[in-house]
Amino acid sequence: MSVRQAISLRGGKRLEGEIQVQGAKNSALPVLAAAVLCRTQVTLYNCPSLTDCDAAMRILTALGCGCRREGGAVTINPSVITSVEIPSGLMREMRSSVIFSGALLGREKQCRLSFPGGCEIGARPIDFHIAAFKKMGASVSDEHGCLICRADRLTGAKISLPLPSVGATENIMLAAVLAEGVTEIHNAAREPEIVDLAQFLTKCGARISGAGSGLVIIEGVSELHGCDYTIMSDRIAAATYLCCGAITRGELLLTKADYLSCQPVLSVLEQMGCSIYSFGSDSLYLNARKKLKPPPMIRTAAHPGFPTDAQPVLMALCASIPGTSIFVETIFENRYRHVSELIRLGAKINVEGRVAVVEGTERLSGAELMATDLRGGAAMITAGLIAEGVTRIGNAAYIYRGYEDIEKTLRSVGADIKPL
Ligand code: EPZ
């Protein structure tokens, strides 16, 4: 990540106004990969302008798909696939590119990719993905750090996931939609992004049932056509902006939001004393003028539990409110890297393994920070909005992976924030 890109903010401004929530990064990425399975043009609307989406588009281009962006619309022409190799540079840049392996296996019955290493928040193994591909008839070999998958035929299988893995559920769906026969995914992830992917694939002619539940059933079809599709709203970006509003005791209206997918976070913010109303199909109103109290315990879990991706920004909010909160991070083994940076602002946080104990304080003061990962960087912005004085955050490229125009968005509701 380039240290060059940095963000500077001066704390103390209440956020007030309206924010339009971006399209969901974690739906756009698997749906961009799913386009590889289609024989005709795909147009995706509400596709967020993020460096991670740019990387996915570069992979599509490398595979031979025409790919162009016009504002929030991305058009893909997947009629001809000329390569089954995911460029190793792009694999390194974005480990979630592994999602292309299921799509390539489904379309071309082969794929080649450099092993997706771990990342800042954990080892990020893909053993569930590989075991499922093998069960569907693929051979998977590891040659000089490259994963090579091949199948004469892909057949439906009964797959039981040891953990409700989002990526594994998505990758199996992508491999299964053109396989021969029926695939069952037991202990499937239930995240809203899985439902969005299933809706996209169904619109392209796939036969999928149970998405959003623990049992997803895919009946293979012979081919998929393209379609026009609108990506769902980003529930983690929404959670981030709500925490930014709450930490400044502000008042925000989020539009193009998705109330239901935000519910696990909304219920915690309400428990803390925030007034939250949803109206229409896609608007959320937050008022945090009242005195807030920290939640006693936050335990991350697979959906519909509290999302691990919102843990860092909620921790930043709790760090600024007197009282004790206990966080238990059950999904990733190394997702407290933002803690040492929040401590530089004066936060009082103790970490022991997967548990973090936060003693909130109203005396946070600006400092020089370095973003540690995407959501950790967002937590630093959140805390910097209330810290006295100036906070500078280096490695901002981490943040641009998942937040579209974050400085412009926060400035539009009163934050004193700018790129350096
Ligand atoms: C997706 O990652 C998201 N990324 C993550 O968001 C999110 O934190 C995560 O799901 C959990 O909700 C995208 O959608 C692009 P998992 P993924 O497979 O699919 C273990 C962000 O900030 N596991 O559900 O990689 C794994 O180690 C990112 O936007 C295996 O052991 O997550 C973890 O402990 C960060 N073997 C647990 O499962 C496997 O083969 C859940 O991981 C796969 C996963």
Side-chain angles (χ1 to χ4, degrees):
M1 285 292 160
S2 70
V3 176
R4 268 196 329 280
Q5 290 180 295
I7 292 173
S8 172
L9 57 160
R10 181 178 292 279
K13 305 271 184 156
R14 279 184 79 251
L15 300 193
E16 285 183 340
E18 182 176 322
I19 288 177
Q20 179 175 295
V21 180
Q22 68 187 53
K25 167 179 84 79
N26 290 348
S27 174
L29 295 178
V31 170
L32 284 163
V36 165
L37 293 158
C38 301
R39 295 276 173 182
T40 56
Q41 180 170 294
V42 170
T43 299
L44 303 177
Y45 297 100
N46 203 31
C47 191
S49 295
L50 305 167
T51 51
D52 269 10
C53 290
D54 296 344
M57 290 172 65
R58 293 207 302 277
I59 292 173
L60 285 168
T61 305
L63 300 178
C65 301
C67 203
R68 71 174 187 283
R69 175 184 283 277
E70 286 167 39
V74 171
T75 300
I76 303 130
N77 173 2
S79 50
V80 177
I81 300 294
T82 56
S83 167
V84 293
E85 176 157 7
I86 301 170
S88 57
L90 286 169
M91 271 308 298
R92 283 183 196 290
E93 187 179 327
M94 186 174 71
R95 62 162 303 286
S96 53
S97 309
V98 69
I99 194 68
F100 280 87
S101 59
L104 283 167
L105 259 185
R107 173 78 182 265
E108 297 295 324
K109 305 292 181 287
Q110 57 177 325
C111 69
R112 182 187 175 89
L113 60 151
S114 55
F115 230 87
C119 74
E120 311 76 25
I121 62 175
R124 311 296 292 276
I126 59 167
D127 50 328
F128 303 164
H129 304 235
I130 293 169
F133 292 162
K134 286 180 177 173
K135 208 162 181 189
M136 296 173 74
S139 67
V140 182
S141 58
D142 173 359
E143 289 169 23
H144 312 299
C146 261
L147 205 62
I148 297 166
C149 309
R150 280 197 194 86
D152 298 331
R153 293 172 61 217
L154 270 186
T155 52
K158 273 191 179 52
I159 294 156
S160 197
L161 291 176
L163 287 170
S165 156
V166 173
T169 302
E170 292 167 343
N171 235 346
I172 297 164
M173 286 166 67
L174 296 178
V177 287
L178 297 178
E180 296 167 34
V182 177
T183 297
E184 294 178 3
I185 309 172
H186 296 261
N187 196 23
R190 301 161 186 249
E191 271 66 10
E193 292 77 19
I194 305 272
V195 176
D196 215 28
L197 175 62
Q199 285 174 347
F200 168 77
L201 289 167
T202 302
K203 203 171 175 186
C204 295
R207 292 203 192 119
I208 302 172
S209 62
S213 79
L215 173 57
V216 179
I217 298 174
I218 304 105
E219 184 187 340
V221 295
S222 55
E223 71 172 41
L224 295 185
H225 53 74
C227 73
D228 291 358
Y229 190 76
T230 300
I231 299 290
M232 69 175 281
S233 176
D234 193 316
R235 60 193 171 102
I236 306 302
T240 302
Y241 293 127
L242 289 170
C243 287
C244 290
I247 203 167
T248 64
R249 304 299 182 277
E251 203 170 340
L252 287 180
L253 174 67
L254 297 193
T255 58
K256 289 184 76 177
D258 178 303
Y259 169 72
L260 273 182
S261 65
C262 293
Q263 191 47 39
V265 174
L266 299 181
S267 58
V268 170
L269 291 174
E270 283 177 320
Q271 180 194 356
M272 294 174 70
C274 296
S275 303
I276 294 180
Y277 306 98
S278 72
F279 49 93
S281 62
D282 66 356
S283 295
L284 276 178
Y285 167 77
L286 165 111
N287 184 324
R289 289 176 179 279
K290 287 189 294 189
K291 188 167 169 49
L292 302 182
K293 61 184 189 324
M297 163 81 80
I298 290 293
R299 185 183 170 79
T300 64
H303 194 77
F306 188 88
T308 174
D309 292 347
Q311 174 260 105
V313 290
L314 185 77
M315 183 183 285
L317 173 57
C318 294
S320 74
I321 304 169
T324 304
S325 298
I326 297 174
F327 283 75
V328 183
E329 174 53 61
T330 69
I331 306 292
F332 292 114
E333 69 271 23
N334 190 26
R335 200 166 205 171
Y336 287 137
R337 297 183 70 224
H338 48 283
V339 167
S340 54
E341 296 301 301
L342 295 180
I343 288 170
R344 292 167 67 85
L345 296 174
K348 295 178 174 48
I349 306 171
N350 286 298
V351 171
E352 187 61 45
R354 299 250 183 161
V355 177
V357 180
V358 179
E359 293 295 342
T361 169
E362 288 175 333
R363 284 192 299 283
L364 295 181
S365 57
E368 301 283 330
L369 308 181
M370 292 297 267
T372 52
D373 55 83
L374 164 55
R375 307 303 178 183
M380 293 170 209
I381 289 180
T382 305
L385 289 170
I386 198 70
E388 192 182 343
V390 174
T391 295
R392 284 189 190 80
I393 303 166
N395 278 349
Y398 277 120
I399 301 168
Y400 299 142
R401 296 183 58 167
Y403 294 93
E404 193 176 55
D405 296 333
I406 188 163
E407 301 101 334
K408 189 173 148 211
T409 300
L410 289 173
R411 227 181 5 258
S412 73
V413 289
D416 180 351
I417 180 173
K418 61 183 185 242
L420 279 179

